[in-house]
Amino acid sequence: RIKTRPYKILLVIVLLSVPSLLGYNVWIQRSVRTAGVDAFLTQDEYNTLIFLKDLPKGNVLSSLKFGVFIPYYTGKNALLFSGRPYPGLLKEAIEDYAIFYSPSSIIEEKKRIIEKYDIKYVVVDNENIGALPDNLEMVRNGNTKVYEVKV
């Protein structure tokens, strides 16, 4: 009868598991990147989140890709994500989001959306969203811009 200690068995299991864990990690990252899904933050986007965190409290309007990270990194509310303190159905918020980020929407519509949801900050990535209302002041410039709503 062979005598083995439990820690040796555990060590063998861990050593045999490491290649499959590393392989899975590489596979999942390649799959996401080749699928055209932008699931990872760039350094500029991360810096923007940290910048937003240091700003006074307020609701944030941003792209879907970026908005999912806002509550976690900044503690602020994003239009389409949990913790929304304003009334309205999610369907209505999605429609308003699409209107705001459409290059063809008019400035009055964008102002209405900002007022409706009590938006304090607007985040714009490298997308063309057309003209912005004149009550937005850029407070961070970069690939990802942050505008503060001025009253």
Side-chain angles (χ1 to χ4, degrees):
R1 182 171 133 108
I2 300 173
K3 212 175 197 185
T4 58
R5 301 197 183 239
Y7 73 88
K8 287 183 181 179
I9 293 172
L10 181 61
L11 182 64
V12 168
I13 291 172
V14 169
L15 288 174
L16 291 174
S17 300
V18 168
S20 63
L21 290 172
L22 291 175
Y24 177 76
N25 187 25
V26 169
W27 173 79
I28 196 74
Q29 287 189 21
R30 283 187 182 164
S31 297
V32 169
R33 288 181 182 150
T34 57
V37 177
D38 206 4
F40 302 99
L41 289 174
T42 65
Q43 187 63 47
D44 183 65
E45 291 167 337
Y46 177 76
N47 292 341
T48 300
L49 287 169
I50 300 307
F51 178 81
L52 271 171
K53 181 179 181 177
D54 294 334
L55 293 176
K57 194 171 186 156
N59 295 325
V60 181
L61 177 60
S62 71
S63 67
L64 290 174
K65 182 228 177 214
F66 199 73
V68 70
F69 297 105
I70 288 174
Y72 178 77
Y73 281 98
T74 70
K76 292 176 175 47
N77 296 312
L79 177 62
L80 299 180
F81 298 93
S82 63
R84 288 175 277 125
Y86 37 81
L89 302 172
L90 182 59
K91 181 181 178 197
E92 191 175 331
I94 291 171
E95 290 168 359
D96 287 339
Y97 161 82
I99 291 168
F100 189 91
Y101 279 90
S102 169
S104 61
S105 65
I106 58 175
I107 291 176
E108 287 75 22
E109 275 294 300
K110 292 180 181 186
K111 282 184 178 179
R112 178 192 64 79
I113 292 166
I114 287 171
E115 290 172 9
K116 177 179 180 179
Y117 296 103
D118 192 25
I119 300 296
K120 179 77 174 160
Y121 306 104
V122 176
V123 178
V124 179
D125 322 36
N126 289 328
E127 56 191 277
N128 178 14
I129 67 167
L132 291 171
D134 56 0
N135 64 335
L136 293 181
E137 179 184 319
M138 186 184 300
V139 292
R140 182 184 189 279
N141 195 358
N143 290 332
T144 307
K145 295 169 179 45
V146 177
Y147 295 88
E148 184 173 357
V149 178
K150 295 298 179 187
V151 184

